[in-house]
Amino acid sequence: MAANGDPVRRELVALLPRLRRFARALTRSADEADDLVQNAIERALRNLDGWQRGTRLDAWMFRIMKNAWIDEIRSKSVRTRVFAPEEAAVAVGADGAAAMETHLEAQAVRAAMAELPEEQRVVVALVLVEGFSYRETAELLDVPIGTVTSRLARGRAAIEARLQSHTEGS
């Protein structure tokens, strides 16, 4: 379906980078993230009548994605995953040392985030990466706001500890 005729479809297309980022946080896999985004977009397009104009389309999409991921987890038995970050290329002509340092820092953060328990990883992704408020995150995940606060605090502390030990080990 072409995105140029319908404003909702245009908004969905504009949301794709954010949806993919959130899917990566959920799945820890680029391939599975792409599949999850596609699944969520298909569900959204089939159920557009379930979205109320005037409400946040991004929050609706993130909820669909979270539910699609839960369905995916339930449909598979035991799942063991090892996080393997996407291969990243250094831009030609860029300051190699600075680019490599930035790449290594981003890789360390991704690795630290991937080691978080899912409930912390999802909250960190929604609040710190996607910019949702604590209240919006609580509504999206259907948990009390205090749960969001505690999961975020534990997630931040775990990431900081991991990064600190990574820095000391270097």
Side-chain angles (χ1 to χ4, degrees):
M1 296 185 170
N4 55 1
D6 184 352
V8 175
R9 285 180 170 78
R10 281 195 304 270
E11 284 185 61
L12 285 172
V13 169
L15 278 173
L16 286 174
R18 292 181 61 205
L19 293 173
R20 186 164 192 276
R21 217 174 22 238
F22 182 55
R24 282 289 306 265
L26 289 172
T27 66
R28 303 181 207 176
S29 160
D31 291 336
E32 285 189 46
D34 290 341
D35 291 344
L36 182 58
V37 169
Q38 181 176 345
N39 185 350
I41 292 291
E42 287 174 3
R43 285 183 183 196
L45 291 173
R46 277 195 312 268
N47 298 302
L48 268 179
D49 57 333
W51 175 68
Q52 296 177 352
R53 292 195 186 276
T55 61
R56 289 188 60 172
L57 182 63
D58 61 347
W60 185 67
M61 283 302 306
F62 278 76
R63 181 171 286 120
I64 289 172
M65 182 169 294
K66 178 198 66 134
N67 290 338
W69 179 242
I70 290 169
D71 292 347
E72 177 71 20
I73 290 171
R74 286 179 182 157
S75 72
K76 294 182 179 182
S77 55
V78 177
R79 180 185 259 197
T80 57
R81 289 278 174 224
V82 176
F83 179 76
E86 203 174 90
E87 295 78 30
V90 177
V92 175
D95 175 6
M100 182 55 77
E101 186 174 324
T102 300
H103 170 72
L104 292 174
E105 288 172 1
Q107 216 173 14
V109 170
R110 274 195 304 269
M113 194 168 157
E115 290 184 6
L116 293 175
E118 183 171 346
E119 65 274 358
Q120 291 174 18
R121 192 175 65 251
V122 169
V123 170
V124 167
L126 289 172
V127 174
L128 300 180
V129 178
E130 295 303 326
F132 282 95
S133 71
Y134 288 25
R135 182 175 311 288
E136 291 166 331
T137 300
E139 289 171 4
L140 212 157
L141 298 176
D142 197 27
V143 297
I145 198 164
T147 301
V148 169
T149 304
S150 65
R151 287 178 183 176
L152 185 59
R154 288 193 316 269
R156 279 181 173 156
I159 289 171
E160 288 174 14
R162 167 70 189 233
L163 293 177
Q164 185 66 31
S165 69
H166 177 75
T167 303
E168 291 170 358
S170 299

